[in-house]
């Protein structure tokens, strides 16, 4: 104990530059913090991809790919956690460490702040720490739960809370209920003063991947076989899917009717139907959304001309897919929807904390961009909490990079000095010590 | 016959493309990751739940469907790392740890299985589990040689918590109990709190160490590792408390109706106005919460059943397997649902193809 304290007081000054990484299953968000300056983030596909011409792309090389037909992916991050370091190292090397890397960084003169998903497996955390120090050789390092970094934003600005010029901005924010809905899953994390409340963190295993795959399945059953077109279907999902605020009503409006019948709303599209033109992989490489044209297919049939376009008319596909966030049991999954997940999280906490948390719900992650996500969650929560409770749900301007931006703010905050460990400390005390220090977090008194 | 929109296309394509259900099941078996396999918790105790009366065949189908929905690619792919043209970075020699990590082909599911197995082992044979873990977590740098204050498995929870662990069963109950314990502990520790580098070493996760609860998958945090006791995080604290901008009743959180729940414009005044505002938890309670250990991966997953495991809280909805509208008609052959006759016809072809006539 004595010796370790000594080594701490003799600590070298922190490295001048911090590489901040939110290393997600789908994309890496990466950039630097130098002093008070923040640069980035760059969004890097976190995958190796192989197109139908058998060309392989690593990470950001995917920008060079034009034809995404039948493209296949290998992802180092599974369920939010780095599982395959062979692939992850290759991507990191090319993006950060190689001589010609687009965000070149010398680890021996840098600190790494890495966001991880909550409730990881200890072995995977240890692997990560070992790679960071033994392979990459960062001088200093902190691995913290991604949701908590969001507390290092001016949260009340996200809510447009009215305030005067004297209002002190609390960084970290005093109380947030942070919902992170990403590629692999959706988590709920209550955060007090920047500290995640671990016993109340909950996870719903519905994320962007599941939704894209579900859309693929539905389309393949009803339209064309899209099973090898994940990339294209994902683009379609992002372009057309929305969270319904009236699921029953929307389902009614999109039903064709009984045998032979074609209901009026079905014929007109009821404002829900959209046409989606698939890329042909010759002239077009991305799909295009069009207003639904009720006459299109019959006109084509009359003229006897075969349209060169592949057009899908999307109806309930537009909203049954995001519906999985709110009703995972629609596909037989034994998990409650997001609003109930929030309630499960709250129920692990004293009721005195509920009002503050419910009034400060922030949603980040790619799925937060789905139209009406915020409204639907707010609506469902209001049904579940006492009438007098204020429920405020908001999302930051760019929910995809919110965790990264928060982590960048954290990298400038004094908290990082308390939490980061140096390479020397790792070598002295070992990986177990590092894991425990990270897990212990800030404590209450700092 | 009118051809509107997609429906007729659907009618013909369902004939020619078998659909997702025929995805060959060649991927690695999914661990408990996605669907609770734990029937005793999920289904068995839920007589009211419609999902639970599914036939075994349907159960299997749902499970396979969910596994398919969890894949990154429809087909198995093996994308090798391409050689770098003019690789500029010298290949440094890997440490033994790194070599092992880079060579590992384990998936997340494999790691989760390992972890669960380790927990089971910890329960039956704490010593062995501790040793197993200890082996994993040493830096392979030469300077790292000997662990500081190390007896082989010093603060292992697995050792300490063993007997207690076997006592209790229900997960949530366990968590609750743990919370209680921590609350008590915190109350004890609270008065002596301020500057002293806390006699209560790292109240947090390592912690699983101190009062690890009894249930089987909660011990992870505490992968026991043979090295120095962690520095209490407070040891490095530079400042004491954040600037106090208003009178606080709590040192940890400001009392309502101060900052946090400011109302949206248009909301009536914050929650609290007149109605009974629940009092903030005590500082001791907050302290315990803010320093409590993480749950394990499976524990953090949304619970399907109620706390007691015997209540179906979330009713399931049933949809037409063909068009996605409500599934009001049941196919007698497979139990699948469709909306009406037209979809039933489409379904029958598929159904016959799958199960025979
Ligand atoms: Zn139908
Ligand atoms: Zn059938």
């Amino acid at each position: 104990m004595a010796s370790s304290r000594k080594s701490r007081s003799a600590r070298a000054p922190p490295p001048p530059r911090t590489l901040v990484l939110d290393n997600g299953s789908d994309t890496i968000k990466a950039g630097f913090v130098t002093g008070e300056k923040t640069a980035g983030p760059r969004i890097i596909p976190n995958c190796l991809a192989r197109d139908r011409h058998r060309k392989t792309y690593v990470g950001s090389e995917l920008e060079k790919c034009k034809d995404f037909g039948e493209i296949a992916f290998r992802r180092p991050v599974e369920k939010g956690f780095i599982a395959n370091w062979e692939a992850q190292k290759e991507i990191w090397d090319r993006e950060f460490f190689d001589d010609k890397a687009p965000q070149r960084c010398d680890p021996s003169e840098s600190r790494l702040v890495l966001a991880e998903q909550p409730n990881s497996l200890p072995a995977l955390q240890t692997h990560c720490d070992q790679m960071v120090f033994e392979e990459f050789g960062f001088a200093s390092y902190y691995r913290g739960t991604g949701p908590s970094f969001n507390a290092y934003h001016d949260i009340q600005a996200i809510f447009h809370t009215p305030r005067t010029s004297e209002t002190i901005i609390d960084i970290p924010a005093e109380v947030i209920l942070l919902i992170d809905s990403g590629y692999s899953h959706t988590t709920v994390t209550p955060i007090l003063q920047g500290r995640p409340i671990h016993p109340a963190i909950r996870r719903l295993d519905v994320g962007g991947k599941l939704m894209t795959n579900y859309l693929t399945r539905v389309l393949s059953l009803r339209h064309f076989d899209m099973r090898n077109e994940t990339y294209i279907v994902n683009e379609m999902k992002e372009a057309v899917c929305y969270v319904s605020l009236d699921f029953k009503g929307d389902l009614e409006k999109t039903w064709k009717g009984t045998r032979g019948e074609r209901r009026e709303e079905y014929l007109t599209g009821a404002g829900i139907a959209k046409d989606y033109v698939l890329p042909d992989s010759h002239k077009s490489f991305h799909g295009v959304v069009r207003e639904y044209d009720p006459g299109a297919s019959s006109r084509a049939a009359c003229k006897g001309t075969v349209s060169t376009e592949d057009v899908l008319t999307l109806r309930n596909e537009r909203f049954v897919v995001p519906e999985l966030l709110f009703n995972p049991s629609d596909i037989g999954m034994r998990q409650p929807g997001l609003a109930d997940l929030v309630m499960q999280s709250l129920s692990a906490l004293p009721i005195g904390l509920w009002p503050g948390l419910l009034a400060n719900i922030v949603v980040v992650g790619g799925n937060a961009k789905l139209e009406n996500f915020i409204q639907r969650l707010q609506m469902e929560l209001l049904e579940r909490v006492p009438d007098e409770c204020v429920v405020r749900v908001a999302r930051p301007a760019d929910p995809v990079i919110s965790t990264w931006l928060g982590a960048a703010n954290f990298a400038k905050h004094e908290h990082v000095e308390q939490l980061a460990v140096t390479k020397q400390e790792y070598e002295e005390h070992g990986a177990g010590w590092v894991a425990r220090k990270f897990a212990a977090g800030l404590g209450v008194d700092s | 016959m009118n051809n509107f929109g997609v429906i007729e296309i659907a009618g013909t394509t369902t004939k020619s493309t078998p659909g997702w259900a025929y995805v060959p099941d060649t991927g690695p078996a999914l661990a408990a990751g996605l669907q609770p396999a734990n029937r005793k918790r999920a289904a068995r105790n839920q007589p009211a739940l419609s999902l639970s009366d599914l036939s075994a065949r349907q159960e299997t189908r749902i499970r396979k469907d969910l596994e398919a929905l969890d894949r990154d690619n429809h087909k198995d792919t093996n994308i090798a790392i391409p050689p770098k043209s003019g690789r500029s970075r010298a290949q440094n020699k890997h440490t033994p740890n790194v070599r092992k990590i880079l060579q590992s082909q384990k998936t997340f599911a494999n790691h989760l299985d390992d972890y669960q197995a380790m927990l089971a082992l910890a329960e039956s044979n704490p010593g062995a589990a501790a040793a197993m873990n200890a082996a994993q977590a040493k830096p392979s740098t030469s300077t790292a040689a000997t662990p500081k204050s190390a007896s082989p498995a010093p603060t292992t929870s697995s050792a300490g918590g063993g007997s207690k662990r076997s006592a209790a069963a229900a997960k949530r109950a366990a968590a609750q109990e743990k919370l209680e314990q921590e609350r008590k502990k915190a109350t004890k520790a609270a008065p002596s709190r301020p500057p002293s580098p806390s006699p209560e070493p790292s109240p947090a996760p390592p912690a699983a160490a101190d009062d690890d609860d009894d249930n089987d998958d909660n011990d992870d945090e505490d992968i026991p590792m043979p090295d120095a006791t962690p520095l209490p995080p407070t040891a490095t604290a530079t400042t004491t408390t954040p600037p106090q901008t208003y009178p606080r009743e709590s040192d940890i959180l400001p009392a309502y109706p101060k900052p946090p729940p400011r109302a949206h414009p248009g909301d009536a005044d914050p929650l609290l106005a007149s109605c009974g505002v629940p009092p903030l938890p005590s500082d001791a309670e907050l302290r315990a919460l803010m320093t409590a250990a993480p749950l394990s991966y499976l524990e953090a997953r949304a619970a399907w059943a109620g706390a007691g495991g015997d209540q179906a809280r979330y009713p399931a909805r049933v949809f037409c397997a063909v068009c996605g509208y409500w599934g009001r008609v049941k196919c007698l052959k497979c139990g699948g649902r469709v909306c009406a006759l037209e979809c039933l016809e489409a379904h029958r072809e598929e159904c016959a193809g799958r199960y025979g006539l």
Side-chain angles (χ1 to χ4, degrees):
Chain A
M1 206 66 199
S3 72
S4 56
R5 207 169 294 154
K6 196 174 125 218
S7 73
R8 291 192 143 237
S9 56
R11 223 179 193 194
R17 194 155 84 138
T18 301
L19 172 64
V20 179
L21 289 187
D22 177 3
N23 197 73
S25 300
D26 185 37
T27 58
I28 303 173
K29 278 68 71 176
F32 294 104
V33 167
T34 315
E36 281 305 301
K37 229 184 88 227
T38 298
R42 212 163 55 98
I43 298 183
I44 305 161
N46 199 6
C47 60
L48 279 72
R50 191 176 57 210
D51 69 14
R52 66 172 123 208
H53 314 293
R54 305 196 65 79
K55 179 169 167 41
T56 303
Y57 305 85
V58 179
S60 58
E61 285 175 4
L62 196 57
E63 290 164 5
K64 293 183 212 144
C65 177
K66 274 174 67 187
D67 179 1
F68 293 96
E70 293 172 39
I71 198 160
F73 297 100
R74 171 178 172 189
R75 300 186 187 276
V77 176
E78 265 187 273
K79 302 281 171 199
F81 308 104
I82 304 173
N84 187 286
W85 272 103
E86 186 201 20
Q88 190 66 78
K89 173 175 148 52
E90 184 65 19
I91 295 168
W92 282 15
D93 278 350
R94 294 188 187 221
E95 303 297 335
F96 312 120
F97 307 131
D98 284 351
D99 286 344
K100 287 184 186 146
Q103 283 174 303
R104 175 109 175 79
C105 157
D106 177 356
S108 68
E109 291 172 6
S110 306
R111 169 178 284 162
L112 174 66
V113 168
L114 179 66
E116 69 168 354
Q117 291 295 302
N119 310 106
S120 182
L121 302 176
L124 293 180
Q125 292 176 316
T126 300
H127 287 177
C128 186
D129 301 345
Q130 289 172 331
M131 290 297 295
V132 165
F133 284 122
E134 296 187 19
E135 176 66 17
F136 304 114
F138 276 94
S140 169
Y141 163 55
Y142 176 62
R143 164 174 58 71
T145 66
S148 315
F149 290 128
N150 287 278
Y152 293 83
H153 286 299
D154 177 2
I155 288 298
Q156 295 313 317
I158 298 175
F159 287 101
H160 305 291
T161 306
R163 56 186 170 194
T164 64
S165 53
E166 301 100 74
T167 312
I168 305 276
I169 297 168
D170 296 294
I171 307 265
E174 276 155 3
V175 51
I176 321 178
L177 190 68
L178 196 282
I179 295 176
D180 184 358
S181 188
Y183 179 83
S184 306
H185 53 230
T186 300
T187 56
V188 175
T189 307
I191 305 165
L192 300 180
Q193 308 283 23
R195 282 85 167 162
I197 307 303
H198 287 294
I201 299 180
R202 291 292 180 278
R203 181 187 68 253
L204 167 63
D205 291 318
V206 176
K209 173 172 73 172
L210 182 94
M211 290 192 277
T212 297
N213 285 348
Y214 183 55
L215 180 57
T216 304
R217 168 184 298 178
V218 167
L219 295 174
S220 300
L221 264 173
R222 300 179 192 169
H223 302 250
F224 315 107
D225 186 348
M226 303 285 285
R227 288 173 297 168
N228 288 315
E229 304 296 350
T230 309
Y231 188 94
I232 288 164
V233 175
N234 187 60
E235 277 192 336
M236 191 189 315
K237 178 192 76 179
E238 290 177 1
V240 303
C241 282
Y242 72 95
V243 176
S244 175
L245 296 179
D246 174 16
F247 183 79
K248 281 181 185 168
D250 286 354
L251 198 57
E252 211 59 51
K253 286 182 197 162
T254 48
W255 188 43
K256 62 187 180 309
T258 52
R259 194 194 332 227
E261 181 194 5
R262 286 295 176 267
R263 303 163 94 215
E264 181 64 22
E265 285 173 320
Y266 183 84
L267 295 177
T268 63
I272 294 175
K274 294 265 186 211
D275 286 339
Y276 193 84
V277 187
L278 293 172
D280 63 11
S281 289
H282 295 291
K283 278 167 282 167
S284 63
F285 297 100
H286 298 278
V288 177
V289 190
R290 272 193 209 149
E291 282 314 305
Y292 171 57
D293 179 358
S297 58
S298 55
R299 275 201 307 275
C302 286
K303 279 193 232 146
T305 55
V306 185
S307 167
T308 54
E309 287 179 332
D310 282 329
V311 181
L312 301 180
T313 299
L314 301 166
R315 298 174 189 269
N316 65 30
E317 297 85 355
R318 291 191 62 205
F319 57 88
V320 298
V321 169
E323 186 68 16
L324 297 182
L325 284 164
F326 295 90
N327 284 291
S329 59
D330 285 356
I331 52 166
M333 223 172 155
R334 289 196 180 86
Q335 298 201 2
L338 182 52
D340 287 315
L341 188 74
V342 169
M343 297 314 289
Q344 287 188 8
S345 168
L346 290 178
S347 67
L349 296 171
I351 201 162
L353 289 174
W354 293 23
L357 290 165
L358 285 166
N360 292 284
I361 301 175
V362 177
V363 188
V364 303
N367 303 324
K369 297 209 283 194
L370 285 163
E371 188 185 339
N372 293 339
F373 183 114
I374 302 297
Q375 292 84 338
R376 171 73 176 269
L377 180 60
Q378 172 149 5
M379 201 173 90
E380 288 205 6
L381 284 172
L382 283 169
E383 290 164 8
R384 285 165 172 79
V385 301
D387 285 348
E388 62 272 17
C389 269
V390 169
V391 175
R392 295 192 308 175
V393 186
R395 67 168 176 214
D398 187 345
V400 172
I401 58 170
S402 177
T403 295
W404 188 90
L405 290 171
N409 290 343
F410 166 83
K412 301 173 197 167
H413 194 279
E414 60 177 11
H415 280 167
V416 76
E417 304 301 338
Q418 291 166 43
L419 291 169
V421 301
T422 63
K423 186 161 188 286
Q424 191 196 348
E425 285 170 320
Y426 171 80
E427 285 163 1
E428 270 178 43
H429 306 304
W433 178 87
V434 170
R436 285 201 294 272
K437 181 170 159 64
F438 288 165
L442 287 164
V444 178
D445 303 307
S446 47
Chain B
M1 188 165 132
N2 283 331
N3 266 322
F4 287 109
V6 302
I7 285 304
E8 294 306 321
I9 300 168
T12 54
T13 47
T14 36
K15 274 180 217 152
S16 51
T17 60
W20 43 264
Y22 292 106
V23 171
D25 189 27
T26 51
L30 196 77
L34 195 61
Q35 181 82 328
N38 189 351
R39 291 291 136 70
K40 66 179 184 282
R41 192 171 141 218
R44 196 182 64 197
N45 299 325
Q46 298 179 17
L49 184 66
S50 55
L51 278 175
S52 68
D53 8 284
L54 296 177
S55 66
R57 197 156 70 176
Q58 279 171 307
E59 282 276 343
T60 308
R61 195 169 69 202
I62 289 177
R63 188 176 47 78
K64 289 198 167 168
D65 286 351
L66 289 173
E67 283 169 10
L69 288 175
D70 193 46
R71 298 175 61 117
D72 276 322
N73 298 292
H74 166 58
K75 291 181 195 146
D76 276 332
T77 47
N78 180 19
I79 304 179
I81 292 185
K84 260 183 250 190
S85 50
R87 181 181 274 273
S88 45
R89 196 161 176 262
Q91 289 295 318
N92 39 4
K93 265 175 52 198
H94 303 309
T95 68
N97 281 336
V98 170
R99 214 173 307 130
K100 225 175 78 192
I101 293 167
L102 289 177
Q103 282 165 3
S104 166
Q105 293 301 314
K106 281 186 185 175
T107 62
F108 179 81
N110 300 144
H111 283 289
L112 183 58
D113 287 346
D114 286 357
Y115 177 61
Q116 296 299 118
M118 204 268 299
L119 291 178
L121 177 63
E123 192 154 347
S124 55
N125 186 353
M132 202 170 91
N133 276 297
Q136 278 184 357
K138 281 184 207 151
S140 39
T141 342
S142 52
T143 48
T146 38
K148 295 259 124 142
S149 65
S151 58
T155 54
T156 100
S157 69
S158 0
S163 59
K164 240 202 308 173
R165 190 175 303 114
S166 48
K171 282 185 177 215
R172 287 299 144 211
Q176 203 45 50
E177 186 186 351
K178 175 171 170 181
L179 207 71
E180 259 335 293
Q181 283 174 354
E182 268 168 27
R183 225 172 257 156
K184 278 183 219 142
K185 202 172 70 179
T187 327
K188 265 185 272 157
S192 67
R193 157 183 133 238
S196 69
S198 144
E200 168 195 16
S202 74
D210 25 271
D211 47 16
D212 193 21
D213 42 277
D214 342 45
N215 96 53
D216 44 337
D217 40 12
N218 194 29
D219 321 285
D220 51 338
E221 313 40 78
D222 199 25
I223 293 241
M225 293 164 197
D227 49 18
T229 13
L231 273 187
T234 44
T236 49
T238 46
T239 52
T240 47
T241 31
Q244 302 209 349
T245 51
Y246 31 77
R248 284 168 187 252
E249 287 175 25
S250 155
D251 281 346
I252 298 175
L253 281 185
Y256 303 133
K258 294 291 183 191
R262 267 165 301 210
H264 246 160
D267 284 337
D269 215 71
L271 25 172
L272 345 153
S274 56
C275 49
V277 184
L280 270 184
S282 68
D283 277 8
E285 246 181 317
L286 286 173
R287 177 176 302 276
L289 284 169
M290 290 165 80
T291 54
L295 303 180
S296 71
Y297 180 77
L298 290 183
E299 276 182 305
R301 180 170 59 195
W304 175 248
D310 50 7
Q311 282 282 306
R313 281 203 286 180
Y314 313 107
R317 311 187 288 194
V318 187
F319 298 93
C320 172
V322 178
C323 75
Y325 187 66
W326 301 116
R328 300 180 300 196
V329 177
K330 191 170 185 173
C331 166
L332 294 177
K333 188 175 287 288
C334 70
R337 302 288 196 94
V338 292
C339 63
L341 288 178
E342 186 168 323
C343 286
L344 183 61
E345 281 163 17
H347 168 78
R348 275 200 180 126
E349 292 169 33
E350 192 204 358
C351 194
R354 189 181 306 180
Y355 297 120
L357 289 164

